[in-house]
Amino acid sequence: MVERVTIADVAARAGVSKAAVSLVLNDRPGTWLSAEAADRVRRIAEELNYRPNPAARTLRFGKAPLIGFVSDDVTLTRYASAMIRGLLDIAESQQHTVLIAETGHHPERLEGVLGAMLDSRAAGLIFGSMAARQMSLPPLPKDVRVVMLNATTTTAHPVVLPDERAAGAAMARLLVEAGHTRIALIGRVAPELLPPEESVTILDRFAGIDSVLAASGIRLVADLHSRVWEPHLGYRLATELIRSGAEVTGLICLNDNLAFGVYQAFQEQGIRIPDDISIVSFDDDVFASILRPTLSTARIPYEQMGRQAMELALAGETTPARHLIPMPVIQRESIRRL
């Protein structure tokens, strides 16, 4: 086994004391070294591949250089890599390790996971969800930093969410600015069917869409409801829209899954996208760029949300504010200007 490089090894190679090395590598004030000597210490530490001793840092600072990430089923989805990449990028830049655990919506598993992370004296906990929803947390020690990622809770903690209202407005505006006034919507859900345990952001998406249409004096030609957003329901609702005979030039789908089914229904009926009808959607699923024509959609910023959550956790932020991350508008081939 290769022996661990110690702070003493760095000090000996640099020709300075161990205390001086510790001050430089931890960016702490009080070092008497010149800037040139400090740069030499950092260079030698990198050459020797020096890594701080986690146990020593825990004794010195009272907390381990660990952040726990606890999610419901994030790692089981294809979106996980972006969210986790954002978390890891920020943690690694500050020499913190991320412990990742999945609970699968099982309360008893959550208690066990939290017990292990608290026993490790983690510096903070980030609770994440793939569906932006309200999560129930057990009582936690007051000195533990908590950040909610794509989730909220009934207790007061910082929250990181996508800016769904702005995204809804932006996607509706794409159709309006392209000259569309006969617009339909597929996928609305009645507010009473959307408790916070299922979603805390989708109503904002509706509000953004409705605000732009109202400001433009546009009334929806058709407003088709669906509590579940899957391709087969998009196909069914698009078929209903076609059979209704409604004259529609622009269509807003509430997510890409619905849009995939809509594409199939229109193509079967010989309705051309975007020549006959323009379509916008949300999420930016990987298939949105593979469809032909490619789908215009608003991307959920998982990586940026992960980065923001980790920055808040490492900064020790406790103010229970909502941090809204912009959803990039990805304009592709599915919109025609009238």
Side-chain angles (χ1 to χ4, degrees):
M1 294 179 64
V2 178
E3 291 188 5
R4 183 185 183 93
V5 175
T6 68
I7 201 168
D9 298 323
V10 177
R13 176 77 70 87
V16 299
S17 68
K18 291 189 292 183
V21 172
S22 178
L23 289 171
V24 170
L25 296 184
N26 286 293
D27 293 320
R28 300 177 70 188
T31 177
W32 54 91
L33 296 180
S34 64
E36 181 182 356
D39 288 342
R40 184 171 72 253
V41 168
R42 296 188 187 95
R43 176 175 50 79
I44 290 172
E46 185 175 353
E47 290 174 356
L48 295 177
N49 197 28
Y50 169 74
R51 293 291 181 271
N53 187 318
R57 291 188 67 182
T58 300
L59 289 173
R60 187 182 311 119
F61 300 115
K63 291 287 184 181
L66 303 172
I67 296 291
F69 175 55
V70 183
S71 74
D72 45 19
D73 52 9
V74 168
T75 61
L76 303 179
T77 73
R78 59 180 177 272
Y79 301 107
S81 59
M83 183 181 285
I84 293 174
R85 182 72 264 159
L87 292 167
L88 294 178
D89 281 348
I90 300 301
E92 290 172 358
S93 71
Q94 299 192 36
Q95 296 184 328
H96 275 65
T97 300
V98 182
L99 301 179
I100 300 176
E102 200 90 319
T103 65
H105 302 277
H106 298 296
E108 67 281 2
R109 189 179 299 174
L110 175 60
E111 291 183 8
V113 164
L114 291 179
M117 290 187 174
L118 294 175
D119 287 345
S120 299
R121 306 187 75 182
L125 296 172
I126 298 173
F127 292 89
S129 174
M130 282 315 301
R133 64 184 183 87
Q134 181 176 288
M135 302 176 68
S136 297
L137 301 184
L140 295 168
K142 292 182 179 181
D143 64 339
V144 175
R145 309 169 189 170
V146 173
V147 176
M148 306 302 296
L149 172 55
N150 203 35
T152 65
T153 186
T154 53
T155 47
H157 298 296
V159 168
V160 179
L161 294 168
D163 193 347
E164 291 277 13
R165 186 182 183 98
M171 300 314 290
R173 197 174 293 115
L174 282 182
L175 291 179
V176 172
E177 291 180 350
H180 295 274
T181 58
R182 300 192 61 78
I183 297 172
L185 184 146
I186 284 182
R188 191 185 296 274
V189 184
E192 61 271 18
L193 298 180
L194 271 180
E197 293 78 16
E198 290 191 21
S199 176
V200 293
T201 60
I202 294 304
L203 292 179
D204 292 335
R205 185 179 294 186
F206 298 150
I209 294 169
D210 293 340
S211 66
V212 168
L213 297 181
S216 305
I218 296 173
R219 297 184 63 180
L220 289 170
V221 174
D223 194 351
L224 304 179
H225 288 225
S226 176
R227 194 169 186 275
V228 179
W229 293 348
E230 294 296 340
H232 70 280
L233 291 169
Y235 177 88
R236 190 190 76 189
L237 293 174
T239 301
E240 290 180 11
L241 182 63
I242 294 168
R243 289 174 178 170
S244 73
E247 295 182 10
V248 180
T249 65
L251 180 63
I252 301 172
C253 295
L254 267 298
N255 83 337
D256 292 346
N257 278 341
L258 287 170
F260 300 156
V262 167
Y263 263 61
Q264 183 182 2
F266 285 168
Q267 288 167 357
E268 286 182 359
Q269 297 297 320
I271 297 173
R272 300 166 300 169
I273 305 169
D275 295 341
D276 300 321
I277 189 167
S278 296
I279 299 179
V280 297
S281 182
F282 298 84
D283 292 357
D284 195 30
D285 188 287
V286 63
F287 293 108
S289 62
I290 298 174
L291 287 173
R292 291 295 179 268
T294 53
L295 178 61
S296 299
T297 184
R299 176 181 298 155
I300 298 181
Y302 289 112
E303 181 173 344
Q304 292 78 8
M305 291 162 62
R307 295 175 68 89
Q308 177 71 72
M310 183 58 72
E311 288 175 352
L312 292 170
L314 294 179
E317 180 60 55
T318 59
T319 303
R322 286 197 174 204
H323 300 264
L324 299 179
I325 309 303
M327 294 174 60
V329 173
I330 313 299
Q331 188 167 355
R332 298 192 177 101
E333 301 167 341
S334 62
I335 302 174
R336 179 174 74 93
R337 180 173 294 277
L338 297 184

